[in-house]
Amino acid sequence: MQILKEIYGVGILFFYYMKYLILFGWPLLRFGLDYKDNIIIDVLWVYCLLLMIKDIIYALVLKKSS
C-alpha cells in the first residue's frame, strides 16, 4: 500500500511541474519540428490539458468566492 502512495505522490509532483512543458512543448515538437505521432505523449498532452482547464476553473471559482 505504501508503494501506491509513493507512486501517486510522484505522479502529482511530476504533472504539477511538467504540465506546462508538455502542454506547450509537444505541439511545438509535433508541428514545428515534425516529430512522429506518439500515442503515449498524445494521451499525456490531453491529460495535461485537462489539468490546465481544472486549474483555470478553480482559480476563477476561488477568486469569485473570496
Side-chain angles (χ1 to χ4, degrees), residues 40-51:
I40 295 171
I41 297 296
D42 289 342
V43 169
L44 286 176
W45 187 84
V46 170
Y47 184 68
C48 289
L49 181 65
L50 293 173
L51 287 174

Side-chain angles (χ1 to χ4, degrees), residues 53-65:
I53 291 170
K54 177 195 69 94
D55 289 346
I56 291 170
I57 290 172
Y58 278 152
L60 293 175
V61 169
L62 290 177
K63 200 173 240 188
K64 282 185 178 181
S65 65

Side-chain angles (χ1 to χ4, degrees), residues 11 13-30 38 40-52:
L13 285 175
F14 175 78
F15 282 108
Y16 182 78
Y17 291 108
M18 296 299 291
K19 69 182 168 190
Y20 301 109
L21 184 62
I22 293 171
L23 191 64
F24 298 116
W26 181 239
L28 179 69
L29 290 174
R30 284 280 314 271
N38 188 337
I40 295 171
I41 297 296
D42 289 342
V43 169
L44 286 176
W45 187 84
V46 170
Y47 184 68
C48 289
L49 181 65
L50 293 173
L51 287 174
M52 181 67 82

